[in-house]
Amino acid sequence: MTEPRTQCSIRLRVNGQEFEHTVESRQSLADFLREDLDLTGTHLGCEHGVCGACTILLDGETVRSCLLLAAQCDGVEINTVEGLARGDQLHPLQEAFQAEHGLQCGFCTPGMLMSALAFLRDTPQPTEADVREALAGNLCRCTGYQSIVAAVLRAAREAPESVTTIS
Amino acid sequence: MVTRYFGASVTRREDPRFLRGLGRYVDDIKLPGLLHATIVRSPHPYARLEAMRVDAARALPGVAGVFMFEDLATWMKPMPEAGAAPLALRERIGLTSRVTPQYPMARDRVRYVGEPVAVVVAQNRATAEDAADLVEVQYEPLSAVVDTEAAAAPDAPRLHPDLDSNVALQFTHAVGDAAAAIQAADVVVRERFRVHRYTGSPVECRGLVVDPHPVDNRLTVWDATQFPHFIQNALVQVLGWPAHRIRVAAPDVGGGFGVKASMYPEEILIPLVALQLGKPVKWIEDRREHFMASIHSREQVHEIEIAATHDGEIVAVHDRLLVDQGAYNPWGIVQPYNTATHMPGLFRIPNLTVEARMVMTNKTPHAPYRGAGRPEAVFVMDRAIDRLARILGLDPADIRRRNFVRPEEMPYNTGQLYRDGQPLIYDSGNYPEALEKALAAIDYDAFRAEQESLRDRGRYRGVGISSYIEGTGVGPYEGATVYVDPSGGVVVATGACSQGQGHETTFAQLAADAIGVPVDQVTVINADTAAIPVGVGTFASRSAVVAGSAVNEAGKRVRAKLARAAGSLMEASPDDIDIEDGQAFVRGAPWSAVSLARVVQSALPTYASPSTVEADFEATVYRQVPTVTYASAVHVALIEVDIDTGMIKLLRYVVAHDCGRVINPMIVDGQICGGVVQGIGGGLFEALVYDEAGQFLSSSLMDYLLPTSVEVPHLELIHLDYPSPRNPLGVKGVGEGGAISSPTAIANAVEDALQPFGVCVRETPLSPERVISLIQQKQSS
């Protein structure tokens, strides 16, 4: 029987950029993004898949990066919060969050943005109840949620076409 | 002087970096050669520490060091305590308190699950945890003290053997003669209430990065804390170095709520091991650790007697309260005394006696969390008052109308002393107005009219009212340094510390108004001991009041200096100089405008010309406040109970509140909403649970349930405007208020909804199981 591998080689695209890395088999995707790629915008609040702060897009779907191993991510396309803005220009969803005070400490915000992004792509004209349901997997302790809900509804209303585009 | 920004919902300066994922939280900080620490923690609630073997751990490749108590013994001192009572207060309440020292690492006993016993440092976190698993600790488990009331018994096993009981603190707080008034009263209601144990649970756990400079005897500590100067001072005591050699700075902090405003063992241990190793060390708490190692709060048991006349006028309250403090008390009288003094709330209580005891148990230490003793007071009083109303056949709204302090009685002297030793006098507010506005907003009368017919159709809806008073802006002081740089940019440094409250924006607004610059021209540095030498920190709803006042005052002094220099430059009297929009000009002659950059630079001496004014455009103000200033609110919740599942649906929630004048309305609304939702979590879902043996059971977010966007309703906020007379800005604190009344508004609503079942709510959280069992209890009896 072969020895289990302690290291793996992965090749993936993150925010449109190609990377090739050797990772420890036990390293989570979140840790890989934060430590190996210096993309610290993806945050860790629980490391057991409940708080949603680590939410990113993997091949276009929201996933908890704390529950995935980097080794599972060979050949995938990942989008993180750092890929939303274009240079100086904030993404319409980010602008809506700022306008509605949809963030206070900012720690849950990257996860919220990624969840909201995927949601609006799939449900372009949501009701408030739809938004609350969609964000139920992202915990926030600061805002009480209503300003976040208002931000997502605002983005859907004001920039329906561009809101789900990511560079 | 034009105030352009005060009262404006200026969009936040801090948002762009947070939105872009470019915030710099403690775990984002990387330094060359950084090592990673993990803490070995007690799995036992109470045990003797017999022996520890670390050789296997030390030998693991990649391990830089493993430290036990004896390795750091030279620096092991009891952790500092806060919340001492001023002498006048101590004497008045007959305070007896016993010291319960906690060492940063357990020495010969562990007293709660999670207490640190060793520190492991390695190349990376995973290796450190592997090594921690190799640390062998020999414990002799002792019988744990878990039940709050049993812990107070004289024969209970003792946590601190040199004390004669587990009751570590005791006082009696009294106004008037409650005993006599109760004897003579028409009606006396006696109840027992229990507030359960819960906590703030910010999404970011705690953490530290320590960068030592052992040769220079300097230390830089990046700490997700709410009070860097307190931490700095603690390290000064431990290391014996002058304060300026120890820099403590909070980076971006992902929520605090009081949980990060306590001093923790790791804040001593990590600096010590970093100095020992001569290398930077990072320690980041994980969520499981967080639940057992970060402070708990709220757990109190009360026995209350409330006495009234036949028509519902309250004549006296006698309360006996027991705080389940956990294993150590670093906070003196703060929580129980806050509870005692906030019992009267918005009510006129002419006779009050509160007998408070704090008991030590083998649980994680208790410390102030958003509300800090006030939510407990409100639960007990508002529940007791609703019970009284039922017995007297009065509507809960009417009994409040009858007993709220009226505006003509303001300022209202409660006869108490606040914990700062000053007379507890409500300075401003209109409590009946808040009540009427909240009730009107929720259509109270219409609901009451409809409630019966809803019940006939099997729909159990209820409305609950809760109110609070909150002493905000506690002293003793906070400082602000404001200065203008040669580009005309304004810098504000303060001892306040932001974990989401938006200080970079609100203090910029204040400085911008005070000086006369666009808000974009102001940069706020908070939470850094290198930026201002002394400070207190952010907790207790104090920053807008105390730091804000200091910023405003310092800004005005800087403005005067700018006017003097501008006057000299433009050959005018400083009294004739206006500063607006970053330009200084002679009043009435706008064409004379020069930029502040020019004003500052013109004051700098050159070889060609000496300066005629001092190039000093800086001011530092330490603002002392006379005492706290009183914010208040009435919360009304409309709920529906599903009697089959026990689920509670929050239909509507109204808050009518007064926080004085508002610097940034959007930020204030955010604070209230966030607080209310934390209280909803505490009232319905969140619970820190220990089993009978003291084993801690709530160590993940699957056990400790935080409210999500689905469980919380849209909150309706009504602002009342009663400026504080106690500071020049007229502001009151608002950080905590939302969390104070929300669990109780819901509890009162549940009891109201379940009237047909004769339910009495005496305990939280109102989980579905508890609701069902309350209904079933009454049905079977």
Side-chain angles (χ1 to χ4, degrees), chain A residues 26 34 38 40-41 43 45 48 81 87-88 94 98 101 104-107 132 135-136 141-146, chain B residues 12 19-21 25 27-28 30 130 200-201 203 287 499-500 666 670-671 674 678 686 701 707-709 712 715:
Chain A
R26 62 175 171 175
R34 289 178 52 76
D38 286 323
T40 57
H43 297 148
H48 48 269
V81 67
D88 280 345
Q94 290 168 319
Q98 181 167 31
H101 191 37
Q104 290 183 24
C105 79
F107 202 76
R132 284 185 181 271
L135 295 181
R141 287 300 272 169
C142 292
T143 65
Y145 301 108
Q146 68 192 45
Chain B
R12 297 194 333 159
L19 290 165
R20 289 168 180 269
Y25 301 88
D27 193 20
D28 302 338
K30 294 171 184 175
D130 288 342
S201 200
V203 183
R287 182 58 60 176
Q499 313 84 42
M666 180 183 75
Q671 291 301 305
Q678 287 197 344
E686 301 172 40
L701 289 174
T708 73
S709 46
V712 307
L715 306 171

Side-chain angles (χ1 to χ4, degrees), chain A residues 5 18 21 40 43 55 63 75-76 109 112 124 133-134 137 149 151 155:
Chain A
R5 283 182 296 163
E18 285 272 331
H21 272 250
T40 57
H43 297 148
T55 305
V63 297
V76 305
T109 307
M112 285 285 180
E133 182 82 38
V149 172

Side-chain angles (χ1 to χ4, degrees), chain B residues 395-413:
Chain B
D395 184 284
D398 286 335
I399 199 168
R400 286 166 170 84
R401 287 177 172 120
R402 218 159 283 205
N403 290 282
F404 267 13
V405 170
R406 288 183 299 272
E408 54 272 22
E409 293 173 271
M410 302 292 283
Y412 180 74
N413 192 336

